[in-house]
Every structure is written in C-alpha cells, then in structure tokens.
Amino acid sequence: MRVLILGGDGYLGWPTAMDMAARGHDVWVIDNYLRRHMAADTDSEPLIPAPKLPDRAALFEAATGHKIRVTEGDAGDRETLARVFQEFVPEALIHYAEQPSAPYSMRDYDSARITLDNNLGVTFNAIWAILEHAPDCHLIKLGTMGEYGTPNIDIEEGWIDIEHKGRRDTFLFPRAAGSLYHTTKVLDTDLIWFYCRVYGLRATDLMQGPVYGLTLPEAGGDTRLMPHFHYDDIFGTALNRFLVQAVAGVPLTVYGKGGQTRGYLNLLDTLQCVNLAMETPVEPGRLRILNQFTETFSVNALAEQVRRVGGQMGLDVTVQNLPNPRKEAEEHYYNPAHSGLLDLGLQPHYLTDEVMAEMLSLVRDHADRIDTGRILPRVKWN
Ligand code: USQ
C-alpha cells in the first residue's frame, strides 16, 4: 500500500516508517521537526541523538534495501500536503504530527497556542487533503486514552449506548481530558467524526496509552535509527523516565500518591496496532475507535517493578513521592475496554521482568549521556 506518515520523525513516526517499509509498503514521511525544536527550546533533548530524516532514510536503505521517501515540511501547510498527495495519492494516512506532551501544553500561553494551532491545524489539513486529493484514503489518527480521563464507570471503546427517557442511541463516550494537549485530541476526534458523518471520510482513531521502549528490530542495533527516547520532565513518559532515573541513581519521581492508573503498551505493539488498523480499512462515513494498550498499571506498580528488576541488576533504586505537579486523580477506578485490537489479531508484548531488564541495560549503555538536571518537573498546573 501507499502509506503517508505525518510526523515521521517522532518517537512513533520513525519506527512506523521503518516497520511499514520493511513490510513492503511504499512509504513517504513528512515532518517539520517541531518536536526537535521544542525539545531544544526547553533543554529536553533525547538520550540518544538521531540524524535528520534524509540521513536516517539513507542509512535505513543502505542497511535494508527499503526506501522511505522524505519531505521536510509542515503538514499544517496546505500546499506542502497537496504536493505530496497529488504525486503519491496515499491509500492510508497515518497522522502522528501532533505536539504530544501534556506538560509542554500547560507551560504558558505560547506553548498552549502552539499545541492548539498545530494539533487542530494538521488534523484539519489532513482531512481536507484526503477529501480533495485522495477521497478513498483511510485516515489513521493517533488519539489518546487520556481523552476519556478517569471516569468512575467502565470506559468503552469510543462509543456508549445511552438509554434516556425510554429511548436509546449511541454517542461518543464522554471525554474529560486533564491537559490542553489531551483536550486537542478530544477536539480532533470531534472534527474527524464530523467529516465522517457529513463528508463520508473513513477513519480509525487509536486511543493510545503511554508507550515504552527504546528500539525495534528494524533499527538493527544502529543507534542512529533508534527512536527519540526522552527522559526529561516535558517529553519523557513515566516508565521511560523511571528507567533512566534507575540507571542514573536518582530517586524515581512518582507524582503524588502514585495510584494514577493508565493503559500502557510496548512500542512494538504500537507498530502492530497501526498495521492492523491499516490492513482493515473501514467503510466511507465510519469512525472506528480502538483503545490501544495492552496492560494497565498504576505509577506505583511501575516504580516497584523498576525497583525490583533494577535491584536484580545491581542498581540501587529508590522511590520518591513528589508533590503532584498535575491536576489529576491520584486514586481512581479504571477499567477500560480494549478488545478491538485483540480481535483484529494483536499479539501483545507484555511488560515482563525480562523486557524491563533489556530496556534498563540499553539505557545503561548510554548512561554517560544522562543529564540529571532534566529529571524534576518544571511545569506545574495543580
Ligand atoms: N507520572 C509520574 N512521574 C513522572 C511522570 C509521570 O508519576 O515522572 C505520572 C503522571 O502524573 C500521570 C502518569 O504518570 O499520572 C502518566 O504520565 P506520562 O507523562 O507518562 O503520560 P501523559 O502525560 O499522560 O502522556 C503520555 C504521552 C502522550 C499520550 C499519553 C497517553 O506523552 O502523548 O497521549 O501518554 S495517556 O496517558 O493514556 O493519555
């Protein structure tokens, strides 16, 4: 298939590009390096430096023979997208081109504005590029489990049947996000649903939980092909941060009581999920929503596993409960459905002690690059 990836330089975008190319698809990526610029501006560079897309694509092609076409440009620019669409006419559009950090979106007016403008603007352009240039193209959009928040009822897969005064109908499951970033994903979902209902767009919205992992087989051990691995307070996610903190010998930063529970998944499973969504396109006018995670953990449970596995590897891991910089429930009910991707054939890679030990040992190989000044939270909205 012809697959266009927006945000192809990112933590998920680049691995997806390699994975799709290795599966024999015709792959084209677009990225304007927004994430690299934001990371540099906030002193949040990743653990392992990576060359820019043309160099990465050339290295990957030399190693594997698979080609990835690259456009260094802004998917928020209508002309840039139109040029690529007219030449490539994608059959699937994988949209990752969003500012992905909750703390970044809560820093100040400018960061909030960039998050809002970029995320909604690119989604809007992606929809219009499909409608104008490739109306059969299947939009695969990366949403987030954080759209739902932590309601006191079971979370369904995107939709809920409601009986009201004796009548029944199906609606989007209620959303209640905890950051502006997560709220932009809620707005994306509504925008996409509108264009499905009224214009016959076909779309899959993947409600993904936090992802962990440093590398994938397609990188072949070459650090230049590994995804950007952030461990700072702004772009690093909980488990990835804990791995680095354990190796650096600083206490694990559990925010508040640590009962915050989320649905996590291995980077390898993100690739499987996106591929499964792509292989099963939905009919025009339909918005399919899939909850994309394999296991739920509280922050305390993750910290405890890192402490235990790190201890077995000779690391002295301690845990510190910091005042929570975020406004969020620290103890709550959490029972989200997630059978849709399993029904499509997802084979989960669970977070076993062996998987955690492998990740810790990869981080340890780069221990000299850890800057412990990037660990404590700088952005607070509690
Ligand atoms: N947390 C800690 N200590 C830390 C970092 C985080 O206790 O050092 C806690 C947070 O307070 C939160 C939980 O861990 O309760 C998850 O935080 P996170 O930073 O790992 O993830 P989050 O901000 O929710 O965002 C990440 C990605 C985002 C994606 C989302 C999926 O950055 O792009 O959409 O995970 S989800 O969490 O399901 O919304």
Side-chain angles (χ1 to χ4, degrees), residues 143-149 155 182 206-210 262-263 290-293 334 336-337:
T144 173
M145 284 299 293
E147 290 187 31
Y148 303 121
I155 295 173
H182 289 96
L206 299 169
M207 302 293 117
Q208 186 172 248
R262 303 286 183 267
L290 298 165
N291 291 348
Q292 183 162 313
F293 66 92
Y334 202 62

Side-chain angles (χ1 to χ4, degrees), residues 103-116:
Y104 184 86
S105 75
M106 304 297 282
R107 274 174 88 222
D108 55 19
Y109 175 88
D110 288 341
S111 297
R113 186 82 218 193
I114 289 170
T115 305
L116 188 71

Side-chain angles (χ1 to χ4, degrees), residues 100 144-146 181-182 209 238 241 253 255 260 262 299 326 328:
T144 173
M145 284 299 293
Y181 152 70
H182 289 96
R241 276 165 58 69
T253 54
Y255 295 164
Q260 303 93 305
R262 303 286 183 267
V299 177
R326 305 181 182 199
E328 62 183 359

Side-chain angles (χ1 to χ4, degrees), residues 222-242:
D222 184 339
T223 56
R224 296 167 301 177
L225 295 179
M226 288 185 186
H228 301 295
F229 183 84
H230 286 272
Y231 62 95
D232 58 274
D233 59 312
I234 293 180
F235 292 104
T237 50
L239 178 53
N240 286 351
R241 276 165 58 69
F242 290 171

Side-chain angles (χ1 to χ4, degrees), residues 1 90-94 126-127 130-131 134-141 192-205 277-289:
M1 284 176 78
E91 293 161 281
L93 174 64
I94 303 174
I127 292 168
I130 290 174
L131 296 178
D136 279 338
C137 179
H138 178 201
L139 172 63
I140 300 166
K141 164 71 172 50
I192 293 168
W193 175 215
F194 166 73
Y195 279 98
C196 288
R197 282 196 317 271
V198 177
Y199 286 72
L201 181 75
R202 53 172 100 213
T204 298
D205 203 352
M278 197 177 83
E279 283 176 346
T280 55
V282 294
E283 61 272 22
R286 175 160 171 228
L287 169 61
R288 172 176 58 181
I289 301 177

